[in-house]
Amino acid sequence: MSAQRVAIVTGAARGIGAGVAKRLASDGMAVAVLDLDAAHSQVVVDEITAAGGTALAVGADVSDEASVAAAVELVAEQLGAPTVLVNNAGIIRDNMLFKMSVDDWDAVMGVHLRGAFLLARATQSFMVKEKFGRIVNLSSTSAQGNRGQVNYSAAKAGMQGFTKTLALELGKFGVTANAIAPGFIETEMTHATAERMGVAFEDFEKAVASQTAVNRIGQPEDIAHTASYLCSAGAGFVSGQVIYVSGGPAD
Ligand SMILES: NC(=O)c1ccc[n+]([C@@H]2O[C@H](COP(=O)([O-])OP(=O)(O)OC[C@H]3O[C@@H](n4cnc5c(N)ncnc54)[C@H](O)[C@@H]3O)[C@@H](O)[C@H]2O)c1
């Protein structure tokens, strides 16, 4: 039997990341549940271990170079060489362009783009050495443009170019890189958006569902299922792709 694969899922203390971490663990991987919120990462780890899986809570800020280096070193030491990476950590700092601060622009770029870059750079040597790797980056339907999200949509479009270049550079080492672009998924992020808009979540949900082909909003498990496929050994000929998981065609 081959050694257990080790995955790092960022922003995995809740929402989509927690869903992906649990799914990869049930697929048989040892999973590093990496998040700023280390205490809540531990809750996810406890759920995984209670279900018979292997996981480690790692507190780290993906936008900080030293924090990422220390986190990857810890994972390699405690779980083994990380050859699966899901760059999921994310924040929103929505505002119309004329009101957007430089801090809100930089914070969003820092977590999504700088974070994904730092994690990919810190883990690629393990993947190249093992001649196997799977990188999945979280983009969004907002990459196509979304009012009030000039920072976030630019970051999520950036994730797509980043993914395609990783695929080109790392393919010959057995490493694939793909992006998932979710539509509207029920998480604390989208609950917070509803609250900020002064709309009850149920009304928001109904409005979004009525404009979605499958007539519902998404759940973290919908994204976890796609991540599971892209991280599987059998998906080695799928690389540089952006999969819209949004309940309908593209966005
Ligand atoms: N929810 C949606 O509808 C939706 C749609 C498209 C894309 N996405 C993307 O999916 C990903 C997950 O979204 P979610 O809805 O689960 O969000 P969420 O806000 O529920 O969870 C994000 C997690 O990322 C962590 N995080 C934030 N900054 C971090 C940092 N600097 N270092 C480490 N961890 C950090 C947070 O602590 C949190 O646990 C994000 O990249 C988001 O942009 C979400």
Side-chain angles (χ1 to χ4, degrees):
M1 212 185 95
S2 57
Q4 189 179 31
R5 299 241 184 260
V6 176
I8 297 178
V9 184
T10 72
R14 68 183 202 195
I16 293 171
V20 171
K22 288 185 220 169
R23 176 61 191 262
L24 296 185
S26 75
D27 289 345
M29 296 181 197
V31 180
V33 178
L34 187 153
D35 205 286
L36 269 184
D37 183 351
H40 215 268
S41 287
Q42 189 57 48
V43 174
V44 176
V45 166
D46 291 345
E47 279 181 55
I48 290 173
T49 45
T54 305
L56 173 73
V58 181
D61 176 354
V62 298
S63 66
D64 182 86
E65 187 177 12
S67 178
V68 168
V72 170
E73 200 175 311
L74 180 77
V75 173
E77 216 175 82
Q78 306 261 319
L79 295 178
T83 55
V84 176
L85 170 66
V86 180
N87 281 312
N88 164 84
I91 57 168
I92 44 176
R93 294 282 185 276
D94 296 355
N95 227 328
M96 296 300 279
L97 173 65
F98 75 102
K99 285 195 280 193
M100 183 163 291
S101 69
V102 169
D103 280 353
D104 285 346
W105 175 269
D106 288 346
V108 167
M109 294 301 154
V111 177
H112 297 271
L113 284 178
R114 181 182 233 255
F117 155 67
L118 289 173
L119 262 300
R121 197 184 59 173
T123 52
Q124 56 77 31
S125 58
F126 295 101
M127 300 185 194
V128 168
K129 191 157 166 248
E130 299 276 323
K131 297 211 162 23
F132 175 89
R134 296 283 181 263
I135 301 175
V136 174
N137 298 313
L138 268 290
S139 178
S140 167
T141 50
S142 296
Q144 314 274 6
N146 198 21
R147 272 176 84 82
Q149 291 197 319
V150 73
N151 51 358
Y152 184 82
S153 60
K156 291 309 202 186
M159 289 296 257
Q160 299 190 7
F162 174 68
T163 300
K164 288 169 199 270
T165 300
L166 290 182
L168 289 172
E169 290 192 12
L170 298 173
K172 64 180 171 199
F173 303 108
V175 180
T176 65
N178 292 284
I180 298 175
F184 188 97
I185 310 295
E186 182 174 9
T187 66
E188 289 188 37
M189 187 183 269
T190 43
H191 273 270
T193 304
E195 206 176 307
R196 207 174 40 252
M197 290 166 67
V199 189
F201 189 80
E202 295 66 39
D203 297 336
F204 199 17
E205 174 176 356
K206 262 190 219 138
V208 174
S210 73
Q211 296 188 28
T212 304
V214 300
N215 200 33
R216 68 168 176 90
I217 63 167
Q219 296 296 326
E221 293 72 25
D222 292 309
I223 306 305
H225 194 76
T226 308
S228 167
Y229 161 69
L230 290 173
C231 293
S232 66
F237 205 53
V238 179
S239 198
Q241 300 302 306
V242 180
I243 302 186
Y244 280 82
V245 183
S246 55
D251 58 339

